[in-house]
Amino acid sequence: MTASDKRSGSAFGTIGFIGLGAMGSRMIRHLKAASGLLLHDADMALAGKIAAELSAEGVPARAANTLADFAAVDVLILMLPDSNVVDQVFRGVDQSVESATGGVLSWLRPGTLVIDMGSSTPGRTIANQAVARTRQISFIDAPVSGGVGGAQAASLAVMVGASEAEFERARPLLACLGSKVIRAGEVGAGHAVKALNNLLGATILAASAEVFAIGEKFGLDPAVMHSIVDASSGGSFMSNRVWPKAILPQTWDFGFALALMNKDVGIAMALIDSTGVQTVLAQANAKIWADATKQAAAGADMSEIARQFRVAAGL
């Protein structure tokens, strides 16, 4: 990704953004090159606040109080929690691919590019693309990895499911949000690789939590053990980023919800089932995360998995 990819001016036209949670509220601040920003969220007071802050910085931004306002956009970004919400907002339906009535789709102009940047189910992403095509609208997926910190710093990894032409259209805009923008394949591929990546990350985090609990129970100092593991073959993103921030200091707050990780693991498991591949580690890991989610308090961070392993070890 070169500096020329991060264009300035109004090259992106008017951008609509729906979903201003922990990630979206940070990502939107890197899209100041748009000729206009339209913001919408379930919490419209938050949308108005962010729009006012951007306007104070000289960015033409406003809250979109109705979906009809999005008739003016050239690009619409969806940063929503799952396919149920995406389907409801985009088409006004739940798990139905038979109709395209209701939702923001009813208001979009032909030629609009819609980018689903949340963690959605690949098959339902493909279904949304098919419905969008009937209205001459492009629908692609571009989920991200890197957490709140990556959203804040515009250093996210963006994995894109799109045709080559749609990818080239979206790439300069996505480069404003992430330091690495990679085309994973056709529509649905981005969401597939995101789910599988999080399944792998969740497995590594659960395994490391178990190993560290064993080490601490034996009598090892967790900080010393971490310094060795992180510099050795057992090191990973989890040891390098999650352990120092959330687990060693026992803040249990890395910035990614336990429930969201469990959801992504579930998406990956459904994808595995669709391939017919038989798994052992993935099945065991899915149960660990599902059980941990049931035991945890609402809103718990994914680092809660390590706390639960410590408790189970009697620490």
Side-chain angles (χ1 to χ4, degrees):
M1 200 57 51
T2 64
S4 63
D5 289 321
K6 301 204 172 195
R7 298 192 225 171
S8 59
S10 59
F12 306 140
T14 300
I15 299 175
F17 201 107
I18 301 179
L20 299 168
M23 296 291 287
S25 61
R26 291 165 171 82
M27 292 163 64
I28 189 68
R29 299 177 191 278
H30 302 300
L31 298 177
K32 298 175 182 178
S35 58
L37 290 172
L38 286 175
L39 282 58
H40 186 83
D41 189 80
D43 182 353
M44 285 307 298
L46 174 63
K49 177 178 180 292
I50 294 175
E53 291 170 354
L54 290 168
S55 295
E57 297 175 18
V59 181
R62 67 182 178 89
N65 292 307
T66 70
L67 295 181
D69 291 338
F70 289 100
V73 305
D74 300 291
V75 179
L76 174 62
I77 294 175
L78 305 175
M79 192 61 188
L80 299 168
D82 56 41
S83 282
N84 288 335
V85 182
V86 169
D87 289 356
Q88 184 62 47
V89 170
F90 184 58
R91 291 187 284 125
V93 296
D94 288 316
Q95 299 192 52
S96 169
V97 297
E98 301 302 326
S99 66
T101 59
V104 70
L105 177 60
S106 299
W107 301 100
L108 299 179
R109 297 173 298 174
T112 303
L113 172 64
V114 180
I115 310 176
D116 181 357
M117 299 193 73
S119 296
S120 300
T121 302
R124 290 169 71 175
T125 299
I126 294 169
N128 279 332
Q129 179 207 32
V131 175
R133 275 181 173 172
T134 66
R135 297 185 177 229
Q136 292 76 56
I137 290 168
S138 296
F139 188 103
I140 68 173
D141 51 311
V144 301
S145 182
V148 170
Q152 185 81 40
S155 61
L156 295 166
V158 187
M159 46 212 88
V160 186
S163 68
E164 291 186 5
E166 288 170 328
F167 174 70
E168 289 305 319
R169 178 183 176 186
R171 184 167 62 90
L173 187 158
L174 296 174
C176 293
L177 303 173
S179 58
K180 184 169 290 188
V181 181
I182 302 173
R183 179 175 178 263
E186 297 297 324
V187 169
H191 281 144
V193 73
K194 168 65 185 293
L196 292 172
N197 173 73
N198 275 17
L199 172 65
L200 181 58
T203 305
I204 292 169
L205 181 54
S208 61
E210 186 172 53
V211 166
F212 269 76
I214 295 166
E216 188 174 355
K217 187 72 172 181
F218 175 79
L220 296 175
D221 182 328
V224 173
M225 184 177 178
H226 172 263
S227 67
I228 295 170
V229 169
D230 193 46
S232 304
S233 58
S236 65
F237 173 90
M238 297 301 176
S239 67
N240 184 255
R241 301 281 295 278
V242 181
W243 282 86
K245 181 177 180 181
I247 300 175
L248 289 177
Q250 297 187 16
T251 62
W252 315 117
D253 184 16
F254 178 70
F256 190 78
L258 173 68
L260 289 179
M261 181 62 91
N262 184 53
K263 178 207 69 175
D264 287 350
V265 168
I267 293 173
M269 296 309 296
L271 177 63
I272 290 170
D273 288 344
S274 74
T275 66
V277 174
Q278 298 300 308
T279 63
V280 176
L281 286 177
Q283 294 288 345
N285 181 66
K287 185 177 187 308
I288 288 170
W289 283 89
D291 290 346
T293 304
K294 290 176 184 177
Q295 295 173 29
D301 185 79
M302 71 172 184
S303 56
E304 163 72 6
I305 196 86
R307 193 195 69 80
Q308 290 189 15
F309 270 107
R310 292 186 78 253
V311 170
L315 297 168

